[in-house]
Structure formats: C-alpha cells, structure tokens
C-alpha cells in the first residue's frame, strides 16, 4: 500500500513553517485522539492518529524533513529506524496543552506498530535506542568483517547502582501522588490519569542525590562493542544489536542500530550484487587478441580478448561480484573494455599507421560498413 504524502496528511503546503506544522498537527490530534472518539470509531481513529503523528515527527525535524523533501518516503525508510523517526519530536508539550498526560501518550504509542515491522515503540522506562554511523571499505562490504566501535551511552551508575540517592541515604515517598507515580486530572467529561509531575512518575523523591549521577541513577560511559558485518552489505544497511543501547530508568536497555556507509572504490562500481569495471586495452590487443590482467575483489585474473574486439564490449566474469546478502551465490563482474588510442605519435609511427590504413578493406570494418549502409538508405 502506497503511503500518503506527509504534507497532504497534515493539510499544509510544502513551504509551511514549523509553527504551521505544529498547529495543523495539534488540530488533527484533538480530532483523532482515540480517547476523544466514540468506541465504535476508536480503531479508525488510532490508525489516523498514527498517520498524523508520523507525519508531524518527520516534518517538525529539520534534518528528517530535508531528507523527505529530497527522497520521499524511501529516503526516510532507508536512513531512519522507526524509533529514530519519533526520537526528538516534541509531542509532550502539545499533549499536555490538550489536557492529555504524557503517560497516556506513551501508553498509547507503546501499543502502535508504526511501520508493520512487528516491533513496538519504546515504552516508558526502557532505555533509548542509539544509532552509530560506521564507514567501511568496498572490500570489507564484499567479504564481511568485524569492527570494534566506541559508543558513548548511559549505564547504571557505578556508585549508587541505579538508585539515584547517595549510598547510605533513603528515598522518601512523593507527597503529591503518595507513592503511586500518577495523579487524576478532570478535563471536561473526561477523568484522566497522568504522570505525577512532582516525582516524574517514580512515586518517590530523592533528598540526597548520588554525587556521581546527581540523582539520575545513570552515568555516561564509553563502551567498546564488537560489530560483525556480514558479506554483501551495502550503504544504508542497518545492523541491530539488541540490548546495546542506553539503560532506562527501569533498567531495561534499548538497542543499538549500526548504519553502514560503504566507501567508493577507485576501480569498481557496484550495481546490486554485480560490479562494473572499465578496462583500457591497446589498439593492437583489440586487433590481434590476447590475454590481459583483470583486477577482481579477490586479486587479479587472466581474461582472453578475442581478435577484433570493439571498444565498449562487455565481458562477464561469473561469480566475481558481491555475495548475495539474502541467499546463496554471488553476483558477477562485468568488464567493459575501452580501446585506448595512443597520443603524441612520432612521424615514423604516423607513416606506419597511414600505410596500415591503406591496406584495410571495408569488409574488415563491420561497424563502418553498417553505418555507411544506413546512411545510404537515409539519404537516397
């Protein structure tokens, strides 16, 4: 099913300002929030609400919006995971303005599978998913490799073991929510449960924060992580390392997404699993034939050039391309020969060529003969 244009979903023009985008989303959120529709329309409202929320998350972010404007939905899907799309989007202030608590928003989105992946959005307390951009060589993409990366991330505080309070001290119950972490708010005909703003839903308050993490229960560290890259990957491939993201307030870790970027090769060009190479050969080799050395991903091989080979002829070296990432076998290497014309000839060489040309008959020049026949038919 083709996805609708984000601007069309929000009902704004492509040059709309951030405030116009925010205002359009706010209006639609009021209309389609599942808590504001009759029970029989709840499922339809949820689908619409997911659609407008995704559009807002992309168009309210300058970088994601620029990627979408340039490449469309394919550009977003290739570069961002579903967590990335919603990361950093300012939903909280909008929903608080509308009278919906942040806990309602998080619970609602925790049950949504935005892209049909079978994975759910991040729940409250789970650590953030992280993204690491990794550049690898053309050869490493073909053969596979193992890389060690250094990732800065939050982990459980080594001093307080995640408690947030200074060792030897105790937490106290939040006086506002009395330890429940939630409070009830009446909004018109609705009575909503929202996160307690005094304790941020924890149910307790810290009087003496840990000196290392300042009450957060987490500290930032750098971790060395080994990443195994399978053969056959290409630029834009995502590798998901489960549990290698940041630790959350509940102790649950997010995931780490390693996004691969393959460096261009000075000789080869990749198209799917095949690689292309332009190989210069001499005029003499093209005329008489012979053997030439051809570079491949696994070293040089000998390739036969038949006599009378024309410039632009493509030879196929089977199994010399990239391995298929999702399946067995490998692509091919396609070698396009380019007959190189010598330059800066001396007088003796020029004379030899003119003498040689005088001996050539049209029958031995198939391309010239065909061209002249077409010319005769065209202008007779």
């Amino acid at each position: 099913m083709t996805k609708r244009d984000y601007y069309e979903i929000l009902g704004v023009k492509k040059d709309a300002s951030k405030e116009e985008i925010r205002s359009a989303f706010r209006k639609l959120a009021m209309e389609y929030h599942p808590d504001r529709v009759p029970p029989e329309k709840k499922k339809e409202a949820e689908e619409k609400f997911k659609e407008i929320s995704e559009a807002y998350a992309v168009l309210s972010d300058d970088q994601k919006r620029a990627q979408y404007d340039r490449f469309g939905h394919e550009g977003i899907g290739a570069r961002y995971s579903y967590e990335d799309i919603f990361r950093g989007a300012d939903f909280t202030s909008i929903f608080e303005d509308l009278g919906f608590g942040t806990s309602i928003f998080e619970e609602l989105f925790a049950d949504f599978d935005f892209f049909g992946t079978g994975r759910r959005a991040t729940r409250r307390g789970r650590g953030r998913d992280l993204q690491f951009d990794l550049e690898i060589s053309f050869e490493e993409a073909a053969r596979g490799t193992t890389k060690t990366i250094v990732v800065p991330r939050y982990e459980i505080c080594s001093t307080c073991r995640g408690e947030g309070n200074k060792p030897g001290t105790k937490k106290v119950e939040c006086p506002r929510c009395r330890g429940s972490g939630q409070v009830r708010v009446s909004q018109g005909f609705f009575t909503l449960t929202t996160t307690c703003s005094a304790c941020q839903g924890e149910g307790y308050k810290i009087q003496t924060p840990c000196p290392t993490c300042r009450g957060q229960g987490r500290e930032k560290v750098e971790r060395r992580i080994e990443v195994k890259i399978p053969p056959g990957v290409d630029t834009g491939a995502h590798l998901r390392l489960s549990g290698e993201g940041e630790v959350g307030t509940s102790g649950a870790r997010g995931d780490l997404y390693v996004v691969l970027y393959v460096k261009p090769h000075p000789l080869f060009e990749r198209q799917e699993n095949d690689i292309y190479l332009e190989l210069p050969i001499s005029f003499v080799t093209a005329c008489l034939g012979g053997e030439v050395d051809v570079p491949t991903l696994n070293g040089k091989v000998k390739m036969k050039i038949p006599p009378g080979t024309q410039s632009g002829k493509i030879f196929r070296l089977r199994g010399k391309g990239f391995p298929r990432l999702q399946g067995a076998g490998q692509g091919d290497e396609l070698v396009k020969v380019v007959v190189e014309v010598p330059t800066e000839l001396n007088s003796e060489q020029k004379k030899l060529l003119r003498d040689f040309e005088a001996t050539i008959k049209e029958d031995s020049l198939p391309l010239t003969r065909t061209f002249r026949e077409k010319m005769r038919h065209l202008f007779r």
Side-chain angles (χ1 to χ4, degrees):
M1 178 175 156
T2 304
K3 296 181 71 171
R4 291 176 61 204
D5 178 73
Y6 286 144
Y7 293 100
E8 179 188 339
I9 290 169
L10 295 183
V12 297
K13 297 180 179 178
K14 288 198 173 182
D15 59 353
S17 66
K18 276 192 171 182
E19 187 53 43
E20 288 173 325
I21 290 170
R22 178 184 172 87
S23 177
F25 171 68
R26 191 178 190 279
K27 180 181 177 181
L28 291 169
M30 286 280 288
E31 182 179 354
Y32 291 105
H33 194 288
D35 287 347
R36 286 182 172 246
V37 298
E40 64 271 15
K41 293 187 176 181
K42 189 177 181 70
K43 184 172 180 61
E44 179 185 348
E46 284 184 353
E47 293 303 317
K48 184 69 177 178
F49 192 79
K50 289 189 291 183
E51 187 179 51
I52 63 174
S53 298
E54 179 185 333
Y56 172 72
V58 171
L59 298 184
S60 63
D61 183 287
D62 290 339
Q63 187 175 358
K64 297 185 182 91
R65 184 177 181 180
Q67 185 79 359
Y68 176 72
D69 287 344
R70 187 174 180 187
F71 301 108
H73 289 294
E74 290 185 2
I76 294 296
R79 183 166 182 178
Y80 300 101
S81 65
Y82 81 101
E83 293 95 343
D84 295 331
I85 288 180
F86 288 90
R87 183 177 295 139
D90 179 22
F91 288 106
T92 304
S93 61
I94 292 178
F95 279 81
E96 287 178 344
D97 289 346
L98 296 176
F100 298 112
T102 56
S103 64
I104 290 178
F105 171 73
E106 289 162 353
E107 288 168 11
L108 178 68
F109 272 66
D111 290 332
F112 284 172
D113 178 10
F114 285 96
F115 303 104
T117 59
R119 300 182 300 184
R120 302 296 181 185
T122 303
R123 291 183 180 271
R124 175 175 170 79
R126 178 180 179 269
R128 282 195 315 135
D129 292 331
L130 299 178
Q131 177 175 315
F132 188 95
D133 295 341
L134 178 60
E135 190 175 59
I136 61 175
S137 71
F138 198 85
E139 290 83 0
E140 287 172 332
R143 300 169 189 161
T145 186
T146 299
K147 293 283 191 180
T148 299
I149 61 176
V150 179
V151 179
R153 69 186 188 190
Y154 280 103
E155 294 191 353
I156 294 294
C157 176
S158 58
T159 301
C160 67
R161 302 300 180 188
E163 292 297 317
N165 53 295
K166 183 179 179 180
T169 65
K170 293 184 177 181
K171 303 172 183 177
V172 296
E173 184 181 272
C174 174
R176 185 180 179 193
C177 65
R178 297 181 181 178
S180 69
Q182 296 181 326
V183 293
R184 286 184 169 275
V185 178
S186 296
Q187 182 73 22
F189 294 103
F190 299 96
T191 299
L192 307 173
T193 301
T194 184
T195 302
C196 176
S197 59
C199 65
Q200 305 302 316
E202 298 295 337
Y204 55 82
K205 301 188 78 173
I206 296 173
Q207 291 186 318
T208 310
C210 168
T212 300
C213 66
R214 298 180 182 179
Q216 297 299 309
R218 305 181 304 164
E219 60 179 326
K220 199 151 196 175
V221 299
E222 289 189 342
R223 288 294 179 219
R224 296 173 66 85
I225 300 173
E226 193 174 82
V227 181
K228 292 184 178 179
I229 301 169
V233 295
D234 202 355
T235 292
H238 287 62
L239 303 179
R240 176 173 175 259
L241 278 65
S242 180
E244 291 292 359
E246 291 187 342
V247 67
T249 55
S250 67
R253 286 192 175 279
D255 299 329
L256 172 64
Y257 289 86
V258 179
V259 182
L260 301 178
Y261 296 87
V262 181
K263 297 178 187 177
H265 196 277
L267 294 178
F268 301 122
E269 181 181 332
R270 180 178 180 179
Q271 293 187 17
E272 296 184 352
N273 294 313
D274 294 334
I275 60 174
Y276 288 75
L277 170 72
E278 281 198 357
L279 179 72
I281 63 173
S282 71
F283 172 71
V284 175
T285 301
C287 291
L288 303 180
E291 277 192 343
V292 293
D293 288 327
V294 179
T296 72
L297 290 171
N298 296 310
K300 291 189 295 185
V301 298
K302 295 286 186 182
M303 185 178 77
K304 289 185 177 180
I305 303 292
T309 293
Q310 302 296 319
S311 187
K313 171 74 175 177
I314 295 177
F315 296 88
R316 184 181 294 270
L317 302 179
R318 298 198 177 275
K320 297 297 184 182
F322 267 66
R324 293 183 174 85
L325 189 60
Q326 304 294 336
Q330 290 190 221
D332 302 328
E333 179 174 337
L334 301 174
V335 182
K336 178 182 178 181
V337 296
V338 179
V339 179
E340 187 171 21
V341 177
T343 60
E344 300 180 4
L345 299 175
N346 60 36
S347 58
E348 182 182 355
Q349 291 169 328
K350 291 177 182 178
K351 182 180 182 304
L352 288 171
L353 284 175
R354 290 191 184 100
D355 292 342
F356 170 74
E357 185 180 29
T359 66
I360 297 296
K361 295 181 180 179
E362 191 174 277
D363 290 345
S364 62
L365 299 172
L367 296 181
T368 301
R369 185 176 67 251
T370 302
F371 179 79
R372 287 177 178 172
E373 288 174 356
K374 290 178 179 178
M375 286 282 286
R376 282 196 294 270
H377 286 295
L378 185 62
F379 295 105
R380 65 181 177 181

